[in-house]
Amino acid sequence: MELRIENLCRRFRGTKALDNVSFTLRSGDVCLLLGPNGSGKTTLMKIIAGLMSADSGDICIDGEPLCTRDKARICFMPTENYFYSYMTARDAGKYYADFFRDFDRDEYAKLIDRAQIDMRQKIRTLSSGQSAKLRLSLALARDARITMFDEPINGVDVLTCDWVMDEIAQRRRDDRIILMSTHLVHQAEAVTNRAMCLRNGALVRDERVANVNLEDMYREVFGGRSDAQC
């Protein structure tokens, strides 16, 4: 499988969120998107997921323009909560099962059990770590060709971070693509094989992880910028 992005552009009120971004991901890639807040990481993933439109540029899967059939096999996990206040963990699973044909209820139940979350618990009462585990469980219970995680370990404790990274690592497959954004470079480095740096909407660095130290690369690309986080 191949995901090709060509000259993708997006503006918000005159500001470039994405500036002619081009790259290609292939089966087996687990790619880390790096960059300070506002660099375009979330915008890029939302456009790939079909949740936002680009002003120009192309997205192709296996050489063909992205279509409705392809979008059904793309999973995007946002960093924010998006559930109704009345929902329990079980309700969230039913919600996903209704919307996504590739959602595996049994796999979701196993993930929730490993996350030590009670299916009857109201989502609004979950801690930030439990909420992160819930969102990840919903995403990983899908049999998606392309799975994207927006800041999956943002604001969680060390043990939750380990749990999230372990679960993602177990889903690495030669016929799938994973794309993930995070500021926590060191924690994510072990599960990735590629890293791309976005700055002011432009792709400024694209490296195989085996060839670089990600923390050093981050400092080299973004060092001295007041908005850079590592």
Side-chain angles (χ1 to χ4, degrees):
M1 181 179 61
E2 179 183 87
L3 170 66
R4 189 172 75 250
I5 308 298
E6 293 184 342
N7 303 316
L8 210 62
C9 294
R10 171 73 193 211
R11 286 178 175 268
F12 293 106
R13 298 179 180 177
T15 300
K16 289 183 179 179
L18 293 177
D19 186 7
N20 285 304
V21 172
S22 297
F23 61 86
T24 299
L25 297 178
R26 295 182 174 87
S27 295
D29 276 337
V30 181
C31 184
L32 194 62
L33 277 178
L34 302 175
N37 292 329
S39 59
K41 304 185 299 295
T42 299
T43 298
L44 174 60
M45 287 189 284
K46 284 185 174 181
I47 291 174
I48 294 172
L51 301 175
M52 183 183 294
S53 61
D55 294 327
S56 60
D58 298 301
I59 301 175
C60 296
I61 293 183
D62 295 334
E64 299 293 332
L66 185 69
C67 64
T68 302
R69 182 185 65 247
D70 294 322
K71 290 178 182 178
R73 299 298 303 277
I74 296 174
C75 177
F76 171 63
M77 191 198 91
T79 188
E80 66 272 3
N81 282 323
Y82 49 91
F83 305 104
Y84 294 110
S85 61
Y86 67 82
M87 279 185 165
T88 63
R90 179 175 287 108
D91 292 331
K94 291 178 180 178
Y95 181 83
Y96 259 59
D98 288 341
F99 272 89
F100 303 110
R101 295 179 63 183
D102 61 357
F103 185 78
D104 187 331
R105 288 175 180 263
D106 292 335
E107 181 63 19
Y108 175 64
K110 292 175 184 177
L111 284 159
I112 288 296
D113 183 63
R114 289 201 293 272
Q116 298 181 326
I117 295 174
D118 188 334
M119 281 285 197
R120 300 165 296 181
Q121 188 171 356
K122 295 282 189 181
I123 293 174
R124 66 173 182 268
T125 68
L126 297 178
S127 67
S128 59
Q130 288 176 316
S131 180
K133 289 180 177 180
L134 174 71
R135 294 195 305 276
L136 189 82
S137 297
L138 289 164
L140 294 181
R142 290 188 56 193
D143 184 27
R145 299 178 70 194
I146 300 170
T147 304
M148 299 181 290
F149 304 98
D150 190 12
E151 300 289 350
I153 50 177
N154 185 40
V156 302
D157 61 80
V158 173
L159 293 178
T160 298
C161 178
D162 289 344
W163 186 92
V164 170
M165 290 296 101
D166 286 346
E167 292 293 342
I168 291 176
Q170 291 177 34
R171 297 324 191 276
R172 292 180 62 171
R173 291 170 53 179
D174 290 340
D175 61 343
R176 296 290 188 264
I177 292 171
I178 294 176
L179 186 61
M180 173 172 55
S181 72
T182 184
H183 295 304
L184 303 176
V185 179
H186 177 70
Q187 289 86 336
E189 185 170 11
V191 305
T192 59
N193 57 19
R194 185 169 171 184
M196 297 189 296
C197 295
L198 285 172
R199 184 171 61 201
N200 297 327
L203 180 60
V204 296
R205 190 85 175 262
D206 185 352
E207 297 281 356
R208 286 288 166 181
V209 171
N211 300 329
V212 296
N213 177 288
L214 289 190
E215 290 191 359
D216 289 346
M217 184 179 78
Y218 196 103
R219 291 188 176 94
E220 179 183 338
V221 175
F222 303 109
R225 292 174 55 84
S226 61
D227 57 349
Q229 300 181 37
C230 187

